[in-house]
Amino acid sequence: MTDAVHDSLFAGRRLRATVATPWTIVVLAPLAVLLLDRERFVEVLAIAASALASTLPYIALAVLLIAGLKASGAEGALGTAFKGRENRMILLAALFGGLAPFCSCEVIPFIAALLAAGAPLSAIMAFWLSSPLIDPPTLFITAAALGWPFAIGKAAAAVALGLFGGFVVKAMIAGGLFAQPLKTIPAKSCGCGPSPLEGRPVWRFWNEGERRTAFGEALRENALFLIKWLTLAYVLEALLITYVPAELIAGLVGGEGPFSIAVAAAVGMPAYLNSYVAPPLLAGLMTQGMSAGAAMAFMVAGAVSSIPAMAAVWSLVGRGVFAAYLGLGFAGAVTAGLIFQLAV
């Protein structure tokens, strides 16, 4: 391959990487409205800008919190959840799953290390089911878009789903299932940082230069990440509110009965949305007639089927455990939707 061809291919890859970002949609979608429906251009921009502005304080809180957790090395505390009696491990894994401040690729080496250390599959399933549902940034973003009752309900659903899945898997193993649950465990981590099972948190991280640097890097990276995805989310929400008929949404998932909630969960699993994008879009869907229970079921089901979580499960366990993960996630999503519908 000549240098010219190599440079051309490299430039092409960089161009595709630049174009295939949320910012492309953020820019092109309003431009399309400007060209095709100029009268609604200002309306779409106003809806998106107002929603983003109201979320900025939550973004700031979320970014500061996650940067502090990263800089202090709080991941190390999670290792204690997988030591001791099995019932205790399931409980702590479900609780700590929602606090795990990992980047997407850290999930796999974390779980691989647990499996290699002999942690029970029941506790690992509890962590797997609860971890994708909520974390500190998602909690604030959900509260900003849907309100604190919804955010607290989702956090409670995360813990409850983790407990449910952990104890169901424990019972299934006692009944003779999952005799060979694992695939080959990867030996290397993805390079996101040190093992989350090692070391104790250093809460006064500002006294160490390396940790201050880690805090600054995490602050910048997460701020850019959240603003990027939330800007996309609010642009899409504005388009949804402006152009999607309320009757259509209400007809699909607008009822308050079990059927609409089950439909929302079934649609939510394959139609996964980033946890930062989903709350604003669900706010738009609820404005158009989606019930609160259906919104909760959709969000829980979509989080369980997130690409990082699914990849972690599929890469480490057999098909039976993978099927159990999906089945427990779906059942938990429907149950969470039904309970939340009755509670609000």
Side-chain angles (χ1 to χ4, degrees):
M1 182 183 296
T2 66
D3 290 342
V5 173
H6 181 272
D7 292 343
S8 177
L9 290 173
F10 181 72
R13 293 192 190 99
R14 289 190 61 184
L15 179 61
R16 286 193 296 274
T18 302
V19 171
T21 68
W23 293 119
T24 303
I25 299 175
V26 168
V27 173
L28 293 182
L31 285 178
V33 174
L34 180 63
L35 293 174
L36 301 175
D37 191 6
R38 181 171 297 186
E39 293 182 356
R40 293 191 171 183
F41 174 70
V42 174
E43 178 186 355
V44 169
L45 284 187
I47 293 172
S50 175
L52 181 61
S54 67
T55 310
L56 288 177
Y58 294 89
I59 295 176
L61 285 172
V63 167
L64 287 170
L65 181 57
I66 198 69
L69 289 172
K70 285 288 186 181
S72 65
E75 297 97 325
L78 294 175
T80 61
F82 299 90
K83 299 176 182 178
R85 296 181 178 179
E86 186 173 1
N87 288 346
R88 175 183 175 276
M89 284 188 272
I90 293 172
L91 174 61
L92 291 179
L95 289 171
F96 287 171
L99 301 176
F102 300 145
C103 66
S104 297
C105 62
E106 277 180 319
V107 174
I108 295 176
F110 182 85
I111 296 298
L114 292 173
L115 291 171
L121 183 62
S122 56
I124 291 172
M125 182 64 76
F127 181 85
W128 249 330
L129 287 168
S130 63
S131 182
L133 280 172
I134 200 75
D135 55 41
T138 304
L139 181 70
F140 288 117
I141 298 307
T142 303
L146 299 169
W148 278 107
F150 205 106
I152 294 170
K154 187 183 178 187
V159 176
L161 180 56
L163 291 173
F164 170 68
F167 284 110
V168 167
V169 168
K170 179 184 176 183
M172 295 171 78
I173 292 174
L177 296 177
F178 309 141
Q180 297 292 333
L182 308 181
K183 294 180 180 177
T184 302
I185 299 174
K188 297 181 179 179
S189 106
C190 60
C192 286
S195 169
L197 297 176
E198 297 176 357
R200 294 182 177 180
V202 178
W203 300 114
R204 296 176 180 269
F205 61 84
W206 50 85
N207 293 327
E208 300 180 18
E210 186 176 351
R211 293 183 183 274
R212 289 196 301 270
T213 300
F215 177 84
E217 291 177 352
L219 192 73
R220 182 181 65 257
E221 291 173 2
N222 284 282
L224 292 173
F225 178 83
L226 287 176
I227 290 173
K228 174 179 67 177
W229 282 106
L230 286 171
T231 302
L232 170 64
Y234 287 126
V235 167
L236 295 177
E237 179 191 12
L239 294 173
L240 178 71
I241 292 172
T242 304
Y243 291 108
V244 176
E247 296 78 10
L248 176 62
I249 302 300
L252 290 174
V253 287
E256 297 184 359
F259 179 75
S260 64
I261 292 174
V263 169
V267 172
M269 292 197 81
Y272 165 70
L273 295 173
N274 182 304
S275 293
Y276 306 111
V277 175
L281 288 185
L282 284 173
L285 289 170
M286 291 177 71
T287 300
Q288 302 292 79
M290 188 180 204
S291 69
M296 179 63 76
F298 184 97
M299 180 175 287
V300 171
V304 169
S305 65
S306 69
I307 292 174
M310 296 270 279
V313 178
W314 181 257
S315 65
L316 298 177
V317 300
R319 294 180 180 179
V321 177
F322 184 77
Y325 172 83
L326 293 181
L328 290 167
F330 178 79
V334 173
T335 303
L338 291 171
I339 293 175
F340 191 71
Q341 185 68 41
L342 294 174
V344 296

